Amino acid sequence: MKLVTAAQMAALERAAAATGVSERTMMEEAGLAAAQEAWMAVGAAEGRTILVLCGAGNNGGDGLVAATHLAGWGADVRVYLLRARAETDPVWLAAREAGVSADSADDDDGLARLDALLSEASLVVDALLGTGGGRRAIEGRLAHLLSRLRAARDGPAPPHLIALDLPSGVDADSGAADPASVAADLTVSFGHSKVGLSQLPGLELAGRVLPVGIGIPAAASADLPYEQLDFRSVQEALPARSAGSHKGSFGAAVVAAGSRRYPGAARLAAEAAARSGTGLVAFAAPEALQPLLVSGLPDAVHEPLAPAAASPDGELDGRAARTLLRALGSGSLRRASALLVGPGIGTGRGARGFVRELLAGLDQAAGELRALVVDADALSALARLPGWADRLSLPRVLTPHPGEMARIARCSVADVQSNRLQRALDTARETGSTVVLKGACTVVAAPDGRARISDQANPMLATAGTGDVLAGLVAGLLAQGMEPFDAASAAVYIHADCGRRVAESHGTAAGLAQDLLRALPDVMSLLEGRSRGHTSGLGIAPGPLAAPEGRASAPPGGGSLW
C-alpha cells in the first residue's frame, strides 16, 4: 500500500487536474466513498441519524458531498458547519437541495445545538480539517467542537466515528496530533493513505484505515517512494528455495557479537539468522563464550576470537578485528556472504577499536562478503567515527533504535521521534546505507529515497534482546542474496509478526526475545505458502494474509560451504 505526504498528495491532485480530472470530480469521488462507508458502518442508515461535522475547506466539501448522498439514500443526515459556507458554494447548494438539515457554529444557538446533535447521532463524520489541519494548534470554536465530540465518544452510548482523510489535528507527515484530536473508528483516506497514519499517535487515532480512489490516474502514483509493509510484498521478495538446493545455495552469515556481559546477544542474533533460511551461520565471538554458544545452537560453526587482554568484560578489540578480517579474506570465513557486527560487543575502548579496525579493513579483505549489518554497540562506536561512510563501499544496513539514531545524526532523541521518516531518509542518504529506525512503526529507508513503514506498534518488542533477533534476521536474509532494502523490509515484517503472535499468546509484558525465535518457524512457513496450523507451542493460529489495498464499499444495494 502506497503512503504519501501532504505535499505528495497535493502533487498527485495537480497531476490529475492536468489530465482533465477536476477538483470537483475528485471531491465528488471522495464524498461518495465516504458516504458508502458511513452507510455500511451503521448497517443500513435509513432512519438512523448521521451527523457530518464540516470545516470550511475541501475536507468540509467532501463531507457535504457525503451528506448529500446519504440523504438521497434515505438517511437522517444533519450537518454541522464550523463556518457558514458561501451561498454560491456548489456542494453546499447540492446538500441544501437534497434536504440536508444544517446548523452552524456561526448561528446564535449553534454551539448550544451541538450537544443535542451529538446525542442523537448513531454515527459522526469528521470532515473538519483533513490534510491541512495537523500543523497548527487547535483552538477557539474548533477546540470546543472537538471537546464536545470527545465527551460524546466517552459517554454511555458513543456514536461511531469516521474521519475523512485524517482525524482532525493529526499531521499527515509525522503522525503528531493536537491534544484536541479525537480517535476515530475508521479513517477513509483519499487517494492514498497518509504517512502520518502509519506513525504514532496518528496510527492509534485513525482506527482502521481505508484508502479509496478519487480519480487520480494510476500512472501518477506509479513512482511514489513510500509504502506500508505488507505480507504480499514480503512474500514476493523472499528468495526461492528449489528442491535441488544445498546449504551453499543460501549463503552464510557471520555474527560478530557478544562479550562476557552479553553472551545471549550473540545467540539470539545467530539463531534468528539461521531460522531466516541462510545455509550456515558462523559465530565470531570471544573464545570464552564458545561453550555457552555451542550448547544453545549446535548448528553453527565458530571462529573464536581472543578478547582484549585488559578488558574486564571480555570485549573484542582491534587485534580480534584483524583476526576476523583474515578469516573473511582468505581463511575459514572466506565464503561468507553477510556479516553482522555489534550485538552485545560492549561499549568500552576495546570494542570501539574492534569496530574501527573492522570497518577500515572490510573493503580490502571482504572475500565473498556482499553486505554488512551494523547493530547495537557497533552503532555507538560508528557514531564516533567521522567520515566512516566515505571509506566503506560494502553495501550495509544500519539498525538503530532512536537513541542510537540520535548519536549517529548528532541530534536529540526528541528530534528523531518528531519526524521518524524524514530522519531515517536523511541518514540513509547521508551515509549511503539502508537504515532501519526501530521502535513503534519501524521505518526502513533506502539511500535512493524509498521507504517502507511497518504499521505495527507492539510493547512486547520493548524488551531486551528483540533488537538482536531483528539484526540476525536482516543478516540471514542478506546472506541469501536479497538486496539490503528488501532484506531489511522483510526482516522488519517477520520480526513484527513474531512479536504479534507472542503478544497474543503471552501478553505484551511476559513475552521474551527468545519467544520470537519460537514463533519464527510459523511465520516463515506462512510466507512460504504453508500453514501448519500450530505455532511451535505458542498456541497461536497463523495470522491472516494481508488484505488487498482497500477501496470503498459498493453503494447500497547439499555441498560443503567451507
Side-chain angles (χ1 to χ4, degrees), residues 45 64 210-211 217 226 256 260-261 294 339 358 373 394 454 463:
L64 286 172
L210 179 67
Y226 310 146
R260 187 177 294 123
R261 291 188 67 192
V294 168
L339 170 65
L358 185 62
V373 183
L394 191 69
S454 170
T463 190

Side-chain angles (χ1 to χ4, degrees), residues 5-32:
T5 63
Q8 288 167 341
M9 192 63 222
L12 288 175
E13 290 171 351
R14 290 193 296 271
T19 66
V21 182
S22 68
E23 181 181 274
R24 177 65 187 274
T25 296
M26 288 185 275
M27 184 176 288
E28 290 291 340
E29 292 287 337
L32 174 60

